[in-house]
Amino acid sequence: MIVVIQRASEASVKIEGEIKASIGNGLMILLGIEEADGQEDIDWLTRKIINLRIFPDEAGVMNKSLLDADGEILLISQFTLHASTKKGNRPSYIKAARPETAIPLYEQMISSLEKELGKSIGTGEFGADMKVSLVNDGPVTIVIDSKNKV
């Protein structure tokens, strides 16, 4: 799994012109799932996301976690994170998980994040054409690949 984590002062996702979910202070996360991903990736990424110290403390130093900051999460599935651009100019998405694999893992990731955060999170809709808006606070953007944890 690959995640692109962006610290946000606000973020939202629209589907067919209607706001599906929005957050204030927190993290807007793009999630890419590949066929080899599983529960171990979900567990590891959940702990990493919830405890990542990227929110400012009283001195303005990035020293607080999402829990410390009482932040929210907006999670958006995005298969294009697994694009291969090695050959030619048309990206290949062969590593991206097919919906029958990706949808259950996406739903498990939602549940895992909600459990650890202790509240509901905002989400997009798997496979939908979404319009995502974000005010990136900082800007702070971090990319994490669960396959590179060692």
Side-chain angles (χ1 to χ4, degrees):
M1 287 183 173
I2 296 175
V3 291
V4 175
I5 300 168
Q6 296 180 293
R7 191 176 75 189
S9 55
E10 61 185 71
S12 64
V13 59
K14 284 185 180 180
I15 300 171
E16 296 181 6
E18 300 290 325
I19 293 177
K20 164 93 167 55
S22 64
I23 64 167
N25 181 55
L27 299 175
M28 200 286 293
I29 303 170
L30 303 174
L31 172 67
I33 301 169
E34 65 178 70
E35 288 292 335
D37 291 331
Q39 191 63 49
E40 182 180 327
D41 299 284
I42 291 168
D43 295 343
W44 185 81
L45 277 172
T46 296
R47 286 189 304 275
K48 186 62 81 173
I49 290 166
I50 296 295
N51 295 299
L52 200 59
R53 294 176 7 187
I54 59 172
F55 290 88
D57 63 15
E58 295 71 28
V61 177
M62 286 196 291
N63 202 27
K64 288 187 171 186
S65 70
L66 184 65
L67 288 172
D68 298 331
D70 193 29
E72 302 175 277
I73 293 175
L74 177 60
L75 181 70
I76 307 293
S77 66
Q78 187 172 358
F79 76 93
T80 60
L81 292 178
H82 287 289
S84 173
T85 57
K86 288 181 181 179
K87 294 170 73 178
N89 293 317
R90 184 182 198 144
S92 168
Y93 305 105
I94 195 126
K95 283 184 64 178
R98 303 199 50 78
E100 53 272 14
T101 300
I103 292 171
L105 291 172
Y106 175 62
E107 292 170 352
Q108 289 169 10
M109 186 65 161
I110 294 167
S111 296
S112 181
L113 287 167
E114 288 179 336
K115 180 181 176 194
E116 291 300 314
L117 191 58
K119 58 185 170 185
S120 294
I121 68 169
T123 65
E125 182 179 310
F126 191 92
D129 180 23
M130 297 176 274
K131 307 301 180 208
V132 179
S133 297
L134 162 76
V135 176
N136 189 327
D137 182 20
V140 175
T141 301
I142 297 173
V143 179
I144 302 173
D145 186 337
S146 65
K147 302 302 186 241
N148 293 331
K149 56 184 165 247
V150 178

